[in-house]
Amino acid sequence: MKRQGCSFPITCCTNRLAKPDSDGRLIRRRRRVAELDGRMAGSIFLMRSQEARIGKLRLLYVEPHARGAGVGGQLVEACVERARTAGYDQLELWTDSQLASARRLYARSGFTLRDTKTERHFGQDIGSETWVMDLRTGL
């Protein structure tokens, strides 16, 4: 996968999330995988935050062949529903401002933009955004 001028495999990121933290403490992580026509179409992770009752949506990825088919929306919806049933009060995510499709998806799904700042990632200055959803009200 190529992103922001840097090439890395998505499995590198997902494998990191599947391991215990450096202190050996396991963090609850749930990965959802979507298929389309028998092929892997995308994935998303739900994990707990360091703060009580806050979940984090992480690493939403949709394969190029599945983009535009509603896979991203279904993955986000599944993650939100799982967060509610797990008892989280809030769900948050981080994205960068250059990912216009993802930002539109998050807004349509009920997330609101909480914070924007400029950070250096992949050798470039980009807009770093934190989005949140109050799961008690759905807003």
Side-chain angles (χ1 to χ4, degrees), residues 13-103:
C13 294
T14 58
N15 287 342
R16 267 213 219 136
L17 283 177
K19 295 179 182 177
D21 288 345
S22 59
D23 63 3
R25 185 173 60 97
L26 289 174
I27 289 186
R28 288 186 219 150
R29 299 173 175 107
R30 301 277 186 203
R31 180 171 120 169
R32 300 280 187 249
V33 175
E35 288 186 5
L36 183 65
D37 299 326
R39 295 171 61 194
M40 198 282 221
S43 64
I44 194 169
F45 283 84
L46 172 64
M47 59 187 292
R48 74 171 186 228
S49 172
Q50 297 293 338
E51 300 174 47
R53 305 191 59 84
I54 296 177
K56 287 189 175 188
L57 183 154
R58 299 283 308 269
L59 294 172
L60 171 63
Y61 177 73
V62 178
E63 291 283 351
H65 74 272
R67 293 178 186 161
V71 171
Q74 291 176 15
L75 285 166
V76 170
E77 184 179 324
C79 190
V80 168
E81 287 309 310
R82 176 64 186 128
R84 279 192 176 107
T85 61
Y88 291 117
D89 291 336
Q90 184 177 338
L91 191 55
E92 64 180 35
L93 65 91
W94 172 89
T95 191
D96 72 56
S97 61
Q98 296 178 17
L99 300 176
S101 296
R103 295 171 70 241

Side-chain angles (χ1 to χ4, degrees), residues 95-127:
T95 191
D96 72 56
S97 61
Q98 296 178 17
L99 300 176
S101 296
R103 295 171 70 241
R104 283 191 302 271
L105 171 61
Y106 301 140
R108 277 194 317 267
S109 299
F111 285 86
T112 57
L113 182 61
R114 180 178 68 195
D115 184 45
T116 302
K117 57 187 170 186
T118 301
E119 293 182 341
R120 190 144 186 93
H121 293 280
F122 306 106
Q124 299 178 36
D125 290 332
I126 61 167

